Amino acid sequence: MKKALLIAAALAVTTSASAAGKLEIFSWWSGDEGPALEALIKIYKAKYPSVTVDNATVSGGAGTNAKAVLKTRMLGGTPPDSFQAHAGQELIGTWVVANRMEDLSSLFKSEGFDKVFPKDLIKLISTNGKIWSVPVNVHRSNVMWYNPAKLKAWGVTVPKTWPEFIKTCSTLKAKGVAAPLVVGENWTQQHLWESVMIGTLGAQGWENLWSGKMKFTDPKVVGAFTTFGKVMDCANKDASGLSWQQASDRIIDGTSAFNVMGDWAAGYFTTTKKLAPNTGFGWAAAPGTTKTFVMLADSFGLPKGAKDRAEAVNWLKVLGSKAGQDAFNPLKGSIAARTDSDLSKYNTYSKSAAADWKSNKIVGSLVHGAVAPESFTSAFGAVIDQFVASKNSAGAAAAAQQLAVRAGISK
Ligand code: GAL
């Protein structure tokens, strides 16, 4: 009898443990990129203490590695319960068109998300009235970072246009700064290219590229490639071996003067390196892009066939909540996607980004999934690699145009 009771008790424990559930969250926010996500998970755990959270990360900036692993999981029939994807074409052009995602529009209604996210952002994550992911933030891509004390010591100011940048670069080289600009691995070079293009063609020109109104072979685009080549001549020679964090480090230690990176760099400077905005690090809109906010948003979706669907839905609720967003974003360097966020929780950098988000012209980032079909984006890295090696502007422009035609962007 006693034995039977013990067995029954043991069984009850196992059943309740499995009823308590699990949740696998898949993202590329590991290591230095982890603290903001951990703050969100902390909120989730406080709400759902019996759920075991598997924080499954695949490291690698911009998700270059995570996206490849995700593909094998999705195609192999073992999707994570919820995964990170950029708002826009990155998710819509892949797992949504392949019919692998759940429509979240009823969740948006029940949680009131349809009222608190900006209309344009909801448009970016929707097709035919269906909503495909919950955005946790808004990041800005077109930011140039510098070390204020070092710029002062070198006697240079922040260049306002790309031609001015190239002049400042010569000045710095003459002062013995071997690499006035620091860049990292391939995707960070594409990231820089994006700012050079927008700073040269203007926000409207950038939009025209993605709507097919302007061809990549347009002389203005070819000219912008040439400018990009001159900008790259200011950069370090060991770029391909550097992560974005290692590139950021060279601003802090004064090896290089400038770095163009998204504002996760602000998260890195403040959360990881404990630097204060304005003194520990400085920022400006990338040359030629003042009054333009190049946006991207990290979001999470719900794949069809998620093993722990109920837990994943609760995760999405936390992600989209005001408390969740205002815990995550001050650590991440981004601003909340929600319009009702409490700005008193954010630092000076983020407050300035929030003000610009309201007043600037908004365009989408290419590299971070917002504006172009994934078939274009995933192939574009090779165009940049080849251009950086050859500096052949007309060739790169023609190659990009071919990709644009194949992706259905241009005729
Ligand atoms: C972006 C992402 C950011 C940050 C960055 C560097 O694509 O949206 O949240 O993680 O990559 O890895």
Side-chain angles (χ1 to χ4, degrees):
M1 180 63 187
K2 211 173 161 193
K3 200 174 167 196
L5 275 179
L6 277 177
I7 292 173
L11 269 179
V13 171
T14 13
T15 353
S16 77
S18 77
K22 281 195 247 141
L23 169 70
E24 185 194 357
I25 304 164
F26 184 92
S27 80
W28 60 85
W29 290 328
S30 66
D32 289 334
E33 293 218 70
L37 178 61
E38 278 148 26
L40 258 185
I41 293 176
K42 200 167 153 201
I43 295 181
Y44 181 90
K45 281 189 176 156
K47 267 193 121 147
Y48 308 101
S50 53
V51 178
T52 309
V53 178
D54 177 7
N55 182 6
T57 54
V58 176
S59 61
T64 38
N65 305 327
K67 283 194 257 177
V69 174
L70 177 68
K71 197 165 166 186
T72 60
R73 298 271 312 258
M74 293 293 274
L75 296 177
T78 54
D81 295 324
S82 180
F83 64 82
Q84 177 187 4
H86 287 121
Q89 287 300 315
E90 183 177 304
L91 181 66
I92 289 172
T94 55
W95 304 118
V96 172
V97 293
N99 199 21
R100 304 277 178 140
M101 302 303 292
E102 284 203 35
D103 171 14
L104 300 175
S105 33
S106 61
L107 180 75
F108 270 65
K109 271 234 155 63
S110 63
E111 293 301 299
F113 292 167
D114 52 344
K115 307 234 156 48
V116 293
F117 291 121
K119 281 205 173 58
D120 285 341
L121 186 54
I122 294 189
K123 211 166 129 198
L124 189 67
I125 51 177
S126 307
T127 48
N128 304 325
K130 294 181 176 165
I131 309 179
W132 301 109
S133 58
V134 178
V136 65
N137 65 4
V138 170
H139 264 307
R140 185 177 197 175
S141 124
N142 60 316
V143 191
M144 195 166 74
W145 307 96
Y146 56 88
N147 179 331
K150 289 303 291 184
L151 288 204
K152 210 169 167 206
W154 286 317
V156 297
T157 52
V158 180
K160 296 224 156 34
T161 64
W162 285 110
E164 204 181 308
F165 178 92
I166 292 161
K167 273 194 211 134
T168 306
C169 165
S170 306
T171 310
L172 285 166
K173 278 189 173 170
K175 294 192 175 191
V177 182
L181 174 72
V182 59
V183 287
E185 56 185 317
N186 175 280
W187 74 264
T188 73
Q189 298 168 33
Q190 296 182 54
H191 187 111
L192 170 68
W193 175 88
E194 179 168 297
S195 270
V196 174
M197 277 290 144
I198 300 169
T200 308
L201 304 174
Q204 189 58 53
W206 179 249
E207 286 187 331
N208 291 347
L209 270 185
W210 307 112
S211 66
K213 279 193 196 140
M214 192 195 298
K215 288 197 159 80
F216 281 84
T217 43
D218 188 292
K220 284 195 211 113
V221 182
V222 178
F225 260 107
T226 304
T227 303
F228 174 61
K230 290 185 186 151
V231 171
M232 283 297 290
D233 287 339
C234 302
N236 50 312
K237 300 288 172 249
D238 59 350
S240 62
L242 294 190
S243 67
W244 69 265
Q245 290 98 328
Q246 288 170 315
S248 300
D249 288 344
R250 293 201 186 169
I251 296 301
I252 305 172
D253 69 18
T255 310
S256 291
F258 302 110
N259 177 227
V260 171
M261 190 35 60
D263 52 13
W264 41 93
Y268 179 67
F269 291 143
T270 55
T271 307
T272 307
K273 296 288 166 183
K274 312 283 180 229
L275 295 170
N278 280 324
T279 47
F281 66 97
W283 68 90
T289 69
T290 326
K291 303 256 173 288
T292 299
F293 190 114
V294 186
M295 68 78 64
L296 60 118
D298 293 300
S299 69
F300 282 72
L302 181 63
K304 285 186 177 167
K307 264 207 279 176
D308 307 294
R309 187 181 179 284
E311 287 76 11
V313 170
N314 286 339
W315 163 246
L316 295 176
K317 289 181 185 168
V318 170
L319 260 183
S321 69
K322 183 170 167 169
Q325 303 222 337
D326 282 342
F328 177 89
N329 288 298
L331 297 171
K332 187 67 172 63
S334 38
I335 52 173
R338 291 177 68 110
T339 48
D340 59 355
S341 132
D342 177 1
L343 273 183
S344 70
K345 299 203 160 119
Y346 292 75
N347 65 32
T348 322
Y349 167 74
S350 298
K351 282 186 182 135
S352 82
D356 288 350
W357 171 241
K358 279 205 184 132
S359 64
N360 283 6
K361 161 95 181 150
I362 309 293
V363 296
S365 158
L366 165 69
V367 198
H368 306 282
V371 286
E374 193 62 13
S375 59
F376 182 97
T377 314
S378 59
F380 187 65
V383 174
I384 291 297
D385 257 349
Q386 226 189 346
F387 174 73
V388 170
S390 70
K391 301 278 161 71
N392 177 348
S393 304
Q401 179 59 22
Q402 259 186 25
L403 287 182
V405 171
R406 236 177 278 139
I409 298 165
S410 179
K411 292 218 171 76

